[in-house]
Amino acid sequence: MKYERIPYLVLFSEQNAFKDTYGGEIGKVAVECHLLKPEEPSDAVVIFSHPIGGGAYLPLVGTIAKMGVHAIYCNPRYRGNDTALIMERAVMDLAACVRDARERLGYKKVYLGGWSGGGSLSLFYQAEAQDPRVTHTPAGDPYDLTAAKLIPADGVLLLAAHLSRNLTLTEWMDPSIEDESRPFERNPAWNLYAPDGPKPPYSAEFVAEFRQRQIARNRRITKWVKEQLAELKAQGLENHERCFTVQGTMADPRWLDPAVDPNDREPGHCMLGDPFVVNDGPVGLARFTTLRSWLSQWSYDDSNADGLKCAARISGPMLVIENSADDACTPSHAARLMAAASRCEIEHRVIQGANHYYFGQPELAQQAAETVRDWVKKQG
């Protein structure tokens, strides 16, 4: 089926103590959206979003439009740059798109298309729409989602979705870094990439200790972040920030040992390429960040966007699509999210042989899109 791609902006005013995005008018937010509108009219739409956007041309988004499903891709204000990203503000941007879809575009039913990192954003949005709690960011800055009157979606789709930014980063962190001030001095006992480091297959005991050390590293960084913020505030610098880098964020035993959280992925590979290179390369998660953004996005304990905690707060229909050769979101991610979403009516499908993005797999993207189409129709 043919569809029309209609780019548009959703604009709203927002007053904050300081600016955290480059360019644009102070006090104004522009949410860049793409409406993929098939020829056949519909009163239902699937809204995709991701904390840093950029997915409007991904295979699944266009393919569901070809299946006759109306879709919107919503790029939050942090499009393409998560250095200073605040998850609470990304929720507000998604909220503006949802409201516009209902009130201006006239869609009676809105479903959240939680693709990859958009899964936890969708869960965070829906949790705050159904059970509003957040009045401040984890850094203590006022940002009241309870007053925003978020419109609950009619259902949530988790499509090759990972747990959330804070939990996924932690499972990818390199625990061989034991001093953040000397990140390239690494303990070979835990350095997966060292010539004399541990080699697969890894024992269950090794992986369990590895996980605990990853959590401990995340918590050490969080402790330092909170100390830095407290020091700034003690000096009367309430709105000041500190930027920093985090090395070693793609060291998950999964990428080297296919027996850890097994699926059909290729060993020695991850969705960003060679994990040894990505571990310290510029595209690794949380490589460049700020104090406030760390707490909102990446802190294991403090992020309000924790996917498991948010999933436990929502109810309603949910579609979970898992890709059997996913090289980003392995099976335990979908399993843990479904277990957490205990109040949802869940339909679960596995696309055999599919990689994370369906790159080079148009027939598998179509299979996933047909599943989405059928699920949306079933909702009535």
Side-chain angles (χ1 to χ4, degrees):
M1 184 180 296
K2 291 182 179 180
Y3 68 88
E4 182 182 8
R5 181 182 291 269
I6 305 169
Y8 64 98
L9 296 177
V10 178
L11 305 174
F12 63 95
S13 299
E14 183 179 279
Q15 297 301 317
N16 292 305
F18 58 91
K19 191 167 174 55
D20 63 356
T21 56
Y22 182 81
E25 183 179 350
I26 293 174
K28 301 292 183 183
V29 179
V31 180
E32 176 192 286
C33 299
H34 289 237
L35 170 61
L36 281 64
K37 188 176 182 180
E39 293 176 322
E40 183 179 324
S42 174
D43 64 358
V45 67
V46 177
I47 298 181
F48 292 84
S49 193
H50 186 284
I52 57 171
Y57 292 91
L58 284 175
L60 186 61
V61 179
T63 306
I64 71 165
K66 292 177 183 177
M67 295 289 105
V69 178
H70 289 228
I72 294 171
Y73 197 94
C74 169
N75 286 308
R77 70 188 76 183
Y78 302 103
R79 167 77 169 90
N81 187 348
D82 62 2
T83 304
L85 191 152
I86 302 298
M87 289 296 296
E88 290 74 15
R89 293 180 182 174
V91 164
M92 195 70 83
D93 297 351
L94 176 54
C97 180
V98 170
R99 187 172 299 279
D100 181 74
R102 284 193 182 275
E103 296 179 357
R104 184 180 66 86
L105 297 178
Y107 289 105
K108 295 179 181 177
K109 294 213 168 185
V110 171
Y111 303 100
L112 300 181
W115 168 261
S116 190
S120 56
L121 176 59
S122 298
L123 292 170
F124 186 17
Y125 174 92
Q126 189 73 341
E128 285 301 304
Q130 292 186 334
D131 176 29
R133 299 181 183 181
V134 171
T135 58
H136 292 74
T137 72
D141 297 322
Y143 203 79
D144 195 351
L145 294 179
T146 69
K149 298 186 175 6
L150 306 185
I151 301 172
D154 296 285
V156 175
L157 299 86
L158 298 181
L159 311 168
H162 62 64
L163 295 173
S164 52
R165 305 205 113 199
N166 66 325
L167 301 180
T168 300
L169 169 72
T170 304
E171 293 187 354
W172 291 359
M173 294 190 88
D174 191 338
S176 71
I177 299 175
E178 297 175 338
D179 183 345
E180 299 299 324
S181 68
R182 295 195 294 272
F184 297 104
E185 295 179 16
R186 302 182 180 183
N187 185 338
W190 303 101
N191 186 351
L192 302 183
Y193 306 117
D196 56 346
K199 298 292 183 283
Y202 305 117
S203 68
E205 293 75 18
F206 173 84
V207 173
E209 178 66 17
F210 196 92
R211 297 297 186 213
Q212 289 304 308
R213 288 173 177 268
Q214 289 175 311
I215 293 170
R217 184 183 171 205
N218 185 296
R219 285 174 170 161
R220 287 196 301 272
I221 295 172
T222 297
K223 180 176 181 291
W224 174 83
V225 164
K226 290 180 177 179
E227 290 169 350
Q228 293 294 303
L229 274 174
E231 186 176 311
L232 289 170
K233 290 179 180 181
Q235 296 172 30
L237 304 175
E238 292 285 334
N239 299 327
H240 283 62
E241 260 289 5
R242 295 288 181 265
C243 304
F244 62 102
T245 60
V246 182
Q247 297 296 148
T249 58
M250 190 53 83
D252 189 331
R254 293 179 178 101
W255 310 137
L256 303 183
D257 186 350
V260 178
D261 202 358
N263 67 359
D264 303 325
R265 67 187 181 274
E266 175 189 348
H269 179 81
C270 70
M271 45 87 81
L272 295 171
D274 180 347
F276 183 20
V277 175
V278 177
N279 196 38
D280 291 303
V283 298
L285 295 186
R287 186 70 70 246
F288 311 102
T289 190
T290 67
L291 302 175
R292 288 173 172 82
S293 187
W294 174 270
L295 294 176
S296 182
Q297 280 192 95
W298 308 119
S299 171
Y300 181 80
D301 297 303
D302 297 275
S303 175
N304 288 320
D306 183 301
L308 297 178
K309 293 176 183 176
C310 291
R313 293 166 53 197
I314 71 171
S315 60
M318 175 181 289
L319 173 65
V320 177
I321 292 183
E322 180 183 338
N323 294 340
S324 82
D326 202 319
D327 44 11
C329 306
T330 43
S332 69
H333 285 247
R336 285 180 280 173
L337 286 168
M338 288 189 289
S342 59
R343 296 191 295 138
C344 294
E345 304 86 50
I346 299 172
E347 185 173 323
H348 178 216
R349 292 289 182 271
V350 178
I351 308 299
Q352 293 296 329
N355 59 44
H356 185 61
Y357 291 109
Y358 306 103
F359 285 158
Q361 300 177 322
E363 70 289 348
L364 297 183
Q366 179 165 332
Q367 189 180 136
E370 290 171 350
T371 302
V372 171
R373 176 198 62 195
D374 295 345
W375 183 86
V376 170
K377 283 184 177 179
K378 190 185 299 183
Q379 304 315 304

